[in-house]
Amino acid sequence: MKTVKFIIAAVLIVTSFSQVANAQSKHKSDVKNVTEAAQPKEHKCNTKCNAAAHNYLHGEKGHVCTDACKKNIKES
């Protein structure tokens, strides 16, 4: 009977260690994905761009948010 209790205790301990390792590895991968998503995209010229100036859309490199931009983000 003591050996059965010892085996059950050993299995529970090993299972708890593996669950901690899985939780830590998932957290590390989530952090990596968040930093990749924050990078702005390269600018692609659109119909509002001309020879004098470019029109940078939200999320592109070079874009600076204004009040009008923030209103458009909330509406969509």
Side-chain angles (χ1 to χ4, degrees), residues 42-61:
E42 290 294 324
H43 172 69
K44 291 182 182 177
C45 287
N46 54 41
T47 56
K48 294 183 180 178
C49 292
N50 57 33
H54 289 278
N55 179 36
Y56 297 104
L57 300 176
H58 184 78
E60 291 182 338
K61 289 183 181 177

Side-chain angles (χ1 to χ4, degrees), residues 5-69:
K5 289 181 182 179
F6 180 73
I7 291 172
I8 292 173
V11 169
L12 291 174
I13 291 171
V14 169
T15 316
S16 66
F17 285 137
S18 65
Q19 288 176 349
V20 170
N22 286 338
Q24 289 176 349
S25 65
K26 288 180 185 177
H27 176 68
K28 289 180 184 177
S29 64
D30 291 344
V31 172
K32 186 175 182 182
N33 291 339
V34 169
T35 57
E36 291 175 1
Q39 298 296 327
K41 297 182 256 179
E42 290 294 324
H43 172 69
K44 291 182 182 177
C45 287
N46 54 41
T47 56
K48 294 183 180 178
C49 292
N50 57 33
H54 289 278
N55 179 36
Y56 297 104
L57 300 176
H58 184 78
E60 291 182 338
K61 289 183 181 177
H63 174 74
V64 178
C65 285
T66 61
D67 290 335
C69 175

